[in-house]
Amino acid sequence: MNQKQTYVRMLAEGGLMVVLAQILGYIKLWEMPWGGSICLSMLPIFLFAVRWGLSSGLMAGFVLGVLQFMFDGGFALGWQSILGDYLVAFTVLGFAGLFRGKKGGIFTGTVVGSAARFLVHYVVGATIWAEYMPEEFFGMTMTTPWFYSFLYNGFYMVIDMILCLIIFALLYKPMNKYLTGADLR
C-alpha cells in the first residue's frame, strides 16, 4: 500500500470510528445528573488511536468532542466548560496513540487515555462546576469541590475504562492483528 492509500485508509477508518463512538455515546448505561455517563463511546477512539498513532488519535478525539457537544445535548456552563468538558476531554483520548505498536498497547493506551480524560473532567469539575457541589454525595458530606469532582467524575470514568478493558480483553485473541495494528504494517 502506498502512502496515499494509507492516508485514505486512515481517514476512512477514522471517520467510521468517530461515527461509531458517537452512536455508542447515545447508548447510555447510566447518566449522571450534571453530565457524564457510562457508555462505550471511548472504545472506538482508543482502537483508532492505538492503530494509527498520537496525532490521528488526538484528531479523532477532538472531532468526537465537537460531535458530543453538538448532538448530545451539550451540557455546559460557558465557553470554559465547552472547551474543557468536550473539546479537551475527548481530544486527550488520543493519548492512547502513544502506545501504537507496543505490546499490550491497547490496554495501556486505554488506561492512559481514560486517566487523561478523567484529569480534564476532574479539574473542570472542581473549578468551573464547583458552585454546583451538593452538600451530600454518595452518602458523604462534601466539603471541597476537589473531592466532589474526584468522586463524581471518577464514578463513571473508572467504569467506562473497565468496560473498555474487558471488551478489548475479550477481543484480543480473535482480533489481535487489528487491536495491535499489525494489519497496517
Side-chain angles (χ1 to χ4, degrees):
M1 199 177 332
N2 67 33
Q3 191 174 8
K4 186 176 181 180
Q5 290 171 320
T6 301
Y7 184 71
V8 169
R9 180 175 176 174
M10 183 270 300
L11 287 175
E13 198 172 300
L16 287 171
M17 291 298 168
V18 169
V19 167
L20 180 59
Q22 182 65 22
I23 291 168
L24 289 171
Y26 292 130
I27 305 168
K28 295 174 173 60
L29 304 174
W30 176 267
E31 192 164 10
M32 299 294 284
W34 294 101
S37 61
I38 297 170
C39 66
L40 296 173
S41 64
M42 298 189 302
L43 190 114
I45 303 302
F46 291 147
L47 176 58
F48 178 75
V50 170
R51 287 175 53 77
W52 291 98
L54 178 64
S55 61
S56 298
L58 291 171
M59 183 55 72
F62 176 79
V63 172
L64 177 61
V66 171
L67 292 175
Q68 285 284 302
F69 177 72
M70 289 173 54
F71 298 116
D72 199 32
F75 203 78
L77 289 176
W79 69 268
Q80 301 93 334
S81 180
I82 294 168
L83 185 66
D85 280 330
Y86 291 95
L87 303 183
V88 177
F90 285 95
T91 298
V92 299
L93 296 175
F95 282 133
L98 291 169
F99 302 93
R100 177 184 184 193
K102 306 264 195 291
K103 183 175 175 148
I106 193 71
F107 301 108
T108 309
T110 296
V111 171
V112 168
S114 296
R117 181 177 169 202
F118 165 76
L119 185 60
V120 173
H121 286 308
Y122 171 64
V123 171
V124 170
T127 55
I128 297 169
W129 290 92
E131 66 184 276
Y132 295 96
M133 179 181 78
E135 290 183 24
E136 190 175 287
F137 188 69
F138 285 150
M140 294 180 270
T141 303
M142 294 292 108
T143 57
T144 170
W146 293 97
F147 184 61
Y148 169 64
S149 182
F150 179 81
L151 290 176
Y152 185 97
N153 293 296
F155 174 73
Y156 69 90
M157 285 301 306
V158 167
I159 295 171
D160 278 356
M161 179 185 71
I162 290 169
L163 289 173
C164 287
L165 290 170
I166 289 170
I167 290 170
F168 287 139
L170 293 172
L171 296 175
Y172 197 74
K173 190 166 184 153
M175 295 185 65
N176 186 292
K177 71 179 184 179
Y178 300 107
L179 295 176
T180 60
D183 65 314
L184 301 174
R185 296 182 202 110

